[in-house]
């Protein structure tokens, strides 16, 4: 461990870093992502309310929060860091590159022991680079198979539990004139997510669970995409466009419009479908012989930069951010899953969170991207570019996955 807090505290005392005039007041800068879908529920409102409450209890500290859309926030933080003007904190999508460059505080340098102990284990573990936690989980989500109840009833079918049943259901939906029996978004927006969910349901994944190395071209992964090509895409059971051209947002919109029979979705799809009057059900992703044992989990990250030397103040603020009620308020506002055990326990039991219960139940069984690897950013980009080719007519999953494995190995060796 690095004794960063005491060392940086000395630096601040000597150099006046982060102080406003001679008042002794510290201003913390936080750059955060926007989870809202309209101006009325933008994340800026959440942070403004939280900061007002915090500052009332901490008169010597001001917190300045700037919120950007998910399309811009990662790039904005990178620009600041590259210009030597890193914010004190950033709540964005990835942390490993900054940790590898020695720019971040360790979680141990910031958070109180009770707060650290409250994190859901797999998210805390995913925040580690070489066994040291730098990424602090902020919000999470997992996936379930959504299906249109009205279309299923019309076709006389029930929710699938296996791949074979899924394909049979898709054929029955097609026979009833459903435009898209199964939406398979392998386009540039989020192909790495749909890919991972299918790999997990086929008994594979991006990495070897025992060795921790990339295992993208494993026999299980190749078999998964062979099956998708031959049993879904090749039989005209996917849409509304070719999988490699379909983005997640468009797939969700098509489901909310009543044109899709089945797709993998996260909690935000519930509200979209309800607003459009679509009756839907949710079940675990089907697997080879029954419901998949694992679901894909996603976490967004909070991190603190060492540049300005505000370890004590940042730590106190983050302890407040991760207070149980604040975590609950954020999760409920944006239909996200909490990253703390205390908030998860409350939401699992609360009637007002009943819609999220199926996702909460799958959360302990979720696996995350290999976000602790600085190579993952490059690998993820290549998956988005190439994975759609596996399921085209004449597509060669073995060749494509082999190319991706080579990319991963090269990126890993370059770390």
């Amino acid at each position: 461990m690095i004794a960063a807090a005491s060392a940086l505290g000395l630096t601040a005392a000597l150099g006046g870093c982060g102080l406003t005039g001679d008042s002794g007041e510290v201003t913390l800068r936080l750059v955060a992502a926007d989870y809202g879908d309209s101006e009325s529920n933008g994340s800026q409102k959440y942070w403004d309310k939280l900061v007002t409450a915090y500052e009332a209890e901490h008169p010597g500290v001001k917190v300045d929060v700037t919120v950007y859309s998910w399309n811009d926030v990662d790039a904005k933080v990178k620009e600041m860091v590259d210009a030597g003007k890193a914010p004190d904190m950033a709540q964005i999508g990835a942390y490993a590159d900054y940790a590898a460059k020695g720019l971040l505080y360790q979680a141990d340098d910031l958070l109180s022991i009770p707060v650290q102990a409250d994190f859901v284990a797999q998210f805390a573990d995913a925040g580690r680079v070489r066994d040291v936690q730098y990424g602090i989980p902020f919000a999470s989500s997992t996936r379930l198979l959504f299906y249109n109840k009205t279309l299923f009833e019309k076709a006389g079918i029930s929710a699938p539990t296996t791949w074979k049943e899924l394909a049979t259901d898709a054929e029955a939906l097609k026979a009833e004139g459903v435009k898209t029996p199964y939406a398979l978004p392998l386009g540039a927006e989020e192909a790495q997510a749909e890919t991972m969910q299918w790999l997990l349901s086929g008994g594979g994944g991006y990495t070897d669970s025992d060795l921790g190395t990339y295992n993208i071209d494993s026999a299980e992964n190749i078999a998964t995409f062979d099956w998708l090509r031959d049993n879904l895409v090749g039989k005209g059971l996917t849409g509304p466009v070719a999988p490699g051209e379909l983005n997640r947002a468009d797939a969700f919109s098509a489901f909310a419009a009543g044109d899709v029979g089945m797709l993998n979705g996260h909690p935000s799809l519930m509200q979209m479908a309800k607003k459009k009057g679509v009756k839907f059900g949710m079940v675990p992703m089907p697997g080879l012989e029954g419901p998949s044992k694992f679901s894909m989990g996603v976490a967004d990250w909070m991190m603190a930069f060492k540049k300005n030397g505000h370890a004590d103040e940042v730590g106190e603020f983050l302890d407040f951010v991760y207070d149980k009620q604040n975590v609950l308020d954020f999760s409920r506002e944006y239909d996200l899953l909490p990253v703390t055990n205390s908030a998860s326990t409350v939401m699992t039991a609360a009637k007002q969170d009943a819609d999220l219960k199926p996702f909460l139940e799958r959360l302990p069984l979720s696996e995350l991207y290999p976000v602790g690897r600085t190579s993952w950013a490059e690998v993820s980009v290549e998956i988005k570019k190439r994975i759609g080719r596996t399921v085209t007519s004449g597509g060669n999953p073995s060749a494509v996955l082999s190319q991706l494995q080579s990319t991963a190995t090269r990126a890993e060796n370059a770390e």
Side-chain angles (χ1 to χ4, degrees):
M1 287 180 52
I2 304 171
S6 59
L8 287 166
L10 176 61
T11 301
L14 293 175
C17 181
L19 303 184
T20 303
D22 295 322
S23 66
E25 186 177 90
V26 170
T27 298
L28 302 178
R29 292 185 302 144
L30 165 63
V31 176
D34 194 354
Y35 290 84
D37 56 15
S38 65
E39 187 175 343
S40 64
N41 74 337
S43 292
Q44 189 71 56
K45 289 189 175 182
Y46 169 83
W47 285 112
D48 287 348
K49 181 180 178 181
L50 184 143
V51 165
T52 298
Y54 182 77
E55 290 178 349
E57 298 178 10
H58 299 79
V61 179
K62 297 291 183 183
V63 184
D64 179 13
V65 183
T66 305
V67 173
Y68 294 102
S69 76
W70 272 109
N71 292 332
D72 302 321
V73 67
D74 290 281
K76 291 289 187 181
V77 172
K78 185 177 186 303
E79 289 174 7
M80 294 176 188
V81 173
D82 290 347
K85 298 179 180 179
D88 296 282
M89 295 163 284
Q91 184 271 299
I92 52 178
Y95 67 88
D97 281 354
Y98 299 124
K101 294 175 182 176
L103 301 179
L104 302 181
Y105 283 117
Q106 299 177 23
D108 286 344
D109 295 332
L110 303 168
L111 303 173
S112 66
I113 291 175
V115 169
Q116 291 187 67
D118 197 26
F119 288 122
V120 175
Q122 70 261 44
F123 295 126
D125 290 342
R128 296 177 176 272
V129 174
R130 297 184 178 89
D131 295 325
V132 177
Q133 185 180 356
Y134 297 95
I136 304 169
F138 181 73
S140 68
S141 180
T142 188
R143 301 294 168 94
L144 291 171
L145 182 77
F146 282 66
Y147 65 97
N148 184 310
K149 285 187 173 182
T150 302
L151 298 179
F152 267 58
E153 289 171 4
K154 184 179 178 182
I157 55 179
S158 57
T161 61
T162 65
W163 286 3
K164 183 178 179 180
E165 291 175 3
L166 188 150
T168 300
D169 284 352
E171 290 174 345
L173 291 167
K174 183 179 181 180
E176 287 292 331
V178 175
K179 293 181 180 179
T180 303
Y182 184 87
L184 183 67
L186 297 178
E189 180 188 6
E190 205 181 35
Q192 81 283 2
E194 183 75 9
T195 296
M196 185 170 178
Q197 183 61 77
W198 277 99
L199 296 183
L200 291 172
S201 69
Y206 287 129
T207 59
D208 184 294
S209 57
D210 294 323
L211 300 177
T213 55
Y214 283 107
N215 198 28
I216 298 174
D217 60 350
S218 68
E220 293 85 356
N221 292 347
I222 293 170
T224 293
F225 277 95
D226 281 340
W227 189 90
L228 284 171
R229 179 197 60 200
D230 298 339
N231 294 277
L232 286 186
V233 182
K235 293 185 178 179
L237 302 176
T238 58
V241 297
E245 299 172 6
L246 180 62
N247 286 329
R248 184 211 55 180
D250 295 328
F252 278 19
S253 294
F255 184 84
D259 296 332
V260 172
M262 299 174 278
L263 82 170
N264 283 316
H266 53 60
S268 68
L269 182 56
M270 294 190 298
Q271 297 305 321
M272 290 181 63
K274 287 177 182 177
K275 288 178 181 178
K276 296 289 187 177
V278 173
K279 296 180 180 179
F280 61 90
M282 301 178 298
V283 294
M285 178 66 182
L288 285 170
E289 299 178 355
S292 175
K293 294 180 180 179
F294 300 103
S295 177
M296 188 204 71
V298 176
D300 299 325
W301 301 95
M302 179 73 76
M303 62 210 70
F305 290 89
K306 295 190 291 186
K307 175 73 175 177
N308 299 320
H310 295 147
D312 291 340
E313 293 83 3
V314 168
E316 289 181 2
F317 177 67
L318 290 180
D319 276 358
F320 185 79
V321 168
Y322 288 99
D323 172 80
K324 180 174 68 177
Q325 190 58 52
N326 289 332
V327 174
L328 285 170
D329 289 346
F330 184 85
S331 301
R332 286 166 170 166
E333 178 66 32
Y334 300 108
D335 284 326
L336 291 165
L337 305 184
V339 295
T340 60
N341 292 305
S342 59
S344 294
T345 299
V346 171
M347 292 183 74
T348 299
K351 289 184 179 180
Q352 73 182 92
D353 303 310
D355 286 349
L356 286 172
K357 188 173 181 179
F359 293 95
L360 289 163
E361 290 174 341
R362 296 297 291 178
L363 195 59
L365 303 173
S366 65
E367 292 196 9
L368 281 72
Y369 304 130
V371 290
R373 300 172 181 272
T374 57
S375 57
W376 172 243
E378 180 180 347
V379 174
S380 178
V381 167
E382 289 303 307
I383 290 170
K384 293 176 183 180
K385 288 180 180 177
R386 302 186 188 195
I387 201 67
R389 303 173 193 171
T390 60
V391 294
T392 58
S393 178
N396 188 338
S398 179
V400 174
L401 295 178
S402 217
Q403 291 169 354
L404 290 171
Q405 177 64 31
S406 295
T407 296
T409 300
R410 183 174 62 253
E412 188 82 350
N413 292 337
E415 286 190 13

